[in-house]
């Protein structure tokens, strides 16, 4: 019950929805689990990992992450929606980290057709991020999925310290925020603790279908965090 008390709004519902699906050894089985794709959805281990109603939000996140051009890191490939938007921008290099083998295979197909050079790293970001050098990135788009109960609606928080290490001065971090219109005090505290103080955002209108198991609001915040 600890975490749910932080969400005295509609996110309490999507928190409970995920608890019902279950988190038993989810991280342990994620890498080799079957990835169930439809045209508009991706489910892994019964979890609603990605849905195409996020299209315009992914477009906004990609625009934010690529504002400086240069080398862009994307964490989590999913349906490849944000990856496609990143490739529409003028960038030098697109690095993707993806944990699930079958999703990684889709990312390889994507890379073979991409305009700008793509490097794909297989594995959890927690295990692979050290392959990337300090201050080597111009932008980061982080969009994974909570694999543990304590990470529901806040799986980006642990990544902030790595983003601080990896971005060049002036580099931009954005991510699936789990915020409806503004940053919660806890969210700002996590960013501050990682060394970020230039914290802005844009509210994005979205239209998730009734019963969506991970988001039920008509807005979601697109963070613009500048190092
Ligand atoms: C929400 S989807 C990404 C959606 C993507 N932005 C899009 O536009 O389609 C999350 C992806 O992150 C991957 N993932 C989950 N946890 C991860 C982790 N710790 N490290 C790397 N990838 C992870 C999942 O396998 C999944 O493919």
């Amino acid at each position: 019950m600890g975490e749910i008390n932080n969400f005295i709004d509609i996110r309490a519902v999507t928190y409970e929805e995920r608890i019902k699906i279950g988190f038993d050894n989810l991280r342990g089985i994620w890498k080799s689990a079957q990835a169930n794709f439809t045209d508009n959805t991706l489910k892994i281990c019964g979890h609603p990992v990605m849905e195409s109603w996020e299209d315009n939000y992914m477009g906004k996140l990609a625009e934010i992450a690529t504002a400086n051009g240069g080398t862009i890191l994307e964490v989590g490939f999913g349906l490849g929606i944000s990856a496609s938007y990143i490739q529409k921008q003028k960038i030098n290099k697109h690095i993707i980290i993806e944990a699930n083998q079958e999703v990684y295979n889709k990312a390889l197909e994507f890379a073979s057709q991409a305009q700008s050079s793509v490097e794909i790293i297989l594995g959890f970001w927690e295990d692979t991020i050290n392959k990337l050098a300090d201050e080597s990135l111009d932008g980061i788009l982080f969009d994974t999925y909570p694999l543990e109960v304590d990470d529901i609606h806040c799986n980006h928080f642990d990544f902030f310290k790595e983003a601080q290490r990896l971005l060049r001065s002036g580099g931009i971090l954005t991510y699936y925020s789990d915020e409806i219109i503004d940053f919660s005090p806890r969210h700002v505290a996590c960013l501050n603790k990682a060394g970020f103080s230039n914290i802005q955002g844009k509210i994005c209108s979205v239209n998730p279908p009734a019963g969506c198991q991970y988001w039920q609001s008509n807005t979601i915040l697109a963070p613009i965090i500048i190092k």
Side-chain angles (χ1 to χ4, degrees):
M1 280 298 283
E3 195 65 26
I4 198 168
N5 291 330
N6 288 311
F7 302 110
I8 49 171
D9 55 41
I10 196 73
R11 284 170 290 186
V13 175
T14 42
Y15 178 95
E16 283 300 335
E17 282 294 324
R18 263 84 68 79
I19 296 283
K20 273 192 244 160
I21 298 167
F23 286 81
D24 189 24
N25 192 29
L26 192 57
R27 187 174 284 276
I29 59 178
W30 194 264
K31 283 185 187 175
S32 53
Q34 188 177 346
N36 296 300
F37 288 95
T38 68
D39 285 347
N40 295 312
T41 63
L42 167 61
K43 278 194 174 195
I44 300 176
C45 301
H47 279 267
V49 177
M50 183 62 188
E51 299 177 0
S52 64
W53 60 261
E54 288 189 49
D55 188 284
N56 67 316
Y57 182 53
M58 290 296 121
K60 177 54 75 183
L61 295 188
E63 185 188 311
I64 293 168
T66 58
N68 292 327
T71 300
I72 309 300
L73 170 66
E74 180 172 28
V75 187
F77 182 74
L79 290 172
I81 298 173
S82 47
S84 298
Y85 281 114
I86 286 172
Q87 284 285 330
K88 285 186 180 146
Q89 304 291 331
K90 210 164 173 261
I91 60 166
N92 296 336
K93 188 173 180 189
H94 185 178
I95 303 169
I96 298 171
I97 301 179
E98 170 55 48
N100 177 270
Q101 178 70 56
E102 291 188 10
V103 179
Y104 170 83
N105 294 345
K106 292 270 183 191
L108 288 178
E109 282 172 35
F110 170 87
S112 69
Q113 322 235 332
Q115 302 265 339
S116 302
S117 134
V118 182
E119 174 187 347
I120 313 176
I121 300 170
L122 174 63
F124 292 121
W125 69 262
E126 295 91 331
D127 300 334
T128 55
I129 201 75
N130 283 342
K131 294 183 178 180
L132 303 180
D134 295 2
E135 307 200 340
S136 60
L137 303 175
D138 299 282
I140 302 176
L141 193 164
F142 181 93
D143 182 15
T144 64
Y145 187 86
L147 301 181
E148 278 141 49
V149 171
D150 285 350
D151 286 342
I152 301 176
H153 286 310
C154 59
N155 48 304
H156 36 291
F157 287 3
D158 285 344
F159 181 76
F160 293 159
K161 62 179 183 311
E162 290 299 335
Q164 176 68 216
R165 176 181 73 78
L166 292 165
L167 286 171
R168 298 184 215 286
S169 177
I172 304 170
L173 166 66
T174 192
Y175 46 91
Y176 182 95
S177 70
D178 280 295
E179 296 287 14
I180 297 170
I181 49 170
D182 203 358
F183 298 92
S184 70
R186 178 178 172 227
H187 193 156
V188 172
C190 286
L191 285 164
N192 291 159
K193 192 172 170 209
F196 290 107
S197 52
N198 188 337
I199 300 168
Q200 304 164 45
K202 285 203 169 127
I203 297 168
C204 192
S205 295
V206 288
N207 192 16
C212 175
Q213 291 168 298
Y214 68 93
W215 198 251
Q216 292 193 359
S217 301
N218 287 323
T219 60
I220 185 163
L221 186 70
I224 308 169
I225 315 298
I226 303 175
K227 178 170 169 184

